[in-house]
Amino acid sequence: MFNLILFGPPGSGKGTQSENIVKTYQLEHISTGDLLRDEVSRHTPLGVEAKKYMDQGLLVPDEVVIGMISSKIDERPEARGFIFDGFPRTKAQAEALDKLLEFKNTQIHLVLSLEVPAEELMKRLINRGTTSGRSDDNEEVIGKRVKEYQTKTEPVATYYNHHGKLERVKGDNTIEDTFKILSKHIDKYLLPA
Ligand code: B4P
């Protein structure tokens, strides 16, 4: 089993690149953003709670997100591996994921961090906001999301760097060129399916 984390600030292209990686390497995709938006659209109790945070550009509490991940992994016992997109976003989530995977006799093998300048991120997200209908894709909320990223999520990169698993990748090339660079790193562990 091969487990990959795609890491980076809001709008860095995690969702976009995950699609390509999933197709090429046949990994199971776990996006906490997508899972939360699904809960919100179905008005589940979890979704109603999560919406309060997401609409303000804040991270959803760790215990909510960690519980969701655990059951998603259990749904796919035959998986070739997982790609975690947008998770973990805090050091507590990273530690919980390590424990969870250890319990399942596996681990995180690689963390790919997409590095994109702040002005480019703002441009992409405002642009996405014109079509996505997402309540968190407007200038004010994007600013808060970036602040949450800097204070709570960036320490996750330090955590994995310390464990020798982090690779930084330039994320402001074209989608195709960024995918080529990501693939070179993944190929060291797993060849395309
Ligand atoms: P997410 O859904 O994870 O979304 P994101 O960070 O905004 O976007 P992503 O990086 O995937 O960018 P995308 O590919 O779409 O999070 C949303 C919210 O959910 C969070 O703020 C939080 O409240 C909550 N949440 C999620 N996970 C959580 C967790 N673990 N803990 C707590 N809370 C959590 O790309 C953005 C745009 O750029 C797209 O329009 C795309 O087309 C474009 N683009 C991508 N690559 C490009 C390129 N190379 N060139 C030009 N444009 C590009």
Side-chain angles (χ1 to χ4, degrees):
M1 181 177 268
F2 169 74
N3 299 309
L4 168 73
I5 292 173
L6 203 53
F7 184 81
S12 54
K14 301 182 293 290
T16 306
Q17 294 299 334
S18 289
E19 272 184 43
N20 292 331
I21 294 172
V22 163
K23 271 192 221 140
T24 306
Y25 296 94
Q26 300 289 306
L27 297 175
E28 293 293 333
H29 183 204
I30 298 188
S31 157
T32 41
D34 288 349
L35 292 173
L36 290 167
R37 279 186 289 278
D38 178 57
E39 297 279 346
V40 171
S41 70
R42 289 188 291 115
H43 305 285
T44 63
L46 192 156
V48 171
E49 181 65 14
K51 189 174 188 315
K52 292 183 209 158
Y53 296 90
M54 294 171 80
D55 282 355
Q56 293 182 68
L58 300 174
L59 291 179
V60 173
D62 288 336
E63 56 278 15
V64 174
V65 181
I66 292 164
M68 243 174 29
I69 289 281
S70 179
S71 49
K72 270 284 151 194
I73 296 175
D74 290 341
E75 279 173 22
R76 302 275 185 275
E78 312 292 320
R80 193 175 192 223
F82 289 91
I83 172 166
F84 296 97
D85 160 8
F87 177 86
R89 260 179 158 97
T90 63
K91 191 161 170 259
Q93 291 181 15
E95 287 166 348
L97 180 63
D98 275 353
K99 279 201 194 114
L100 200 69
L101 293 179
E102 196 184 331
F103 183 69
K104 295 175 200 298
N105 289 316
T106 185
Q107 59 168 317
I108 288 298
H109 297 86
L110 178 65
V111 180
L112 294 173
S113 174
L114 289 167
E115 315 272 315
V116 179
E119 316 81 67
E120 170 70 13
L121 295 173
M122 187 58 96
K123 210 169 76 189
R124 285 184 189 178
L125 291 174
I126 289 184
N127 190 28
R128 185 175 70 183
T130 59
T131 54
S132 68
R134 274 175 56 165
S135 54
D136 58 352
D137 276 348
N138 60 72
E139 200 165 342
E140 190 196 341
V141 177
I142 294 166
K144 285 195 196 156
R145 287 163 64 195
V146 169
K147 217 171 225 169
E148 283 280 89
Y149 176 79
Q150 288 164 344
T151 54
K152 296 183 183 163
T153 307
E154 269 180 358
V156 174
T158 311
Y159 175 85
Y160 286 111
N161 196 23
H162 186 73
H163 289 82
K165 295 182 175 177
L166 184 81
E167 295 288 349
R168 295 184 190 275
V169 169
K170 189 170 155 21
D172 57 345
N173 288 316
T174 63
I175 293 173
E176 294 73 24
D177 285 349
T178 304
F179 178 62
K180 278 187 201 151
I181 305 174
L182 294 173
S183 294
K184 277 199 184 139
H185 286 288
I186 301 173
D187 287 349
K188 291 179 197 157
Y189 296 81
L190 184 75
L191 290 175

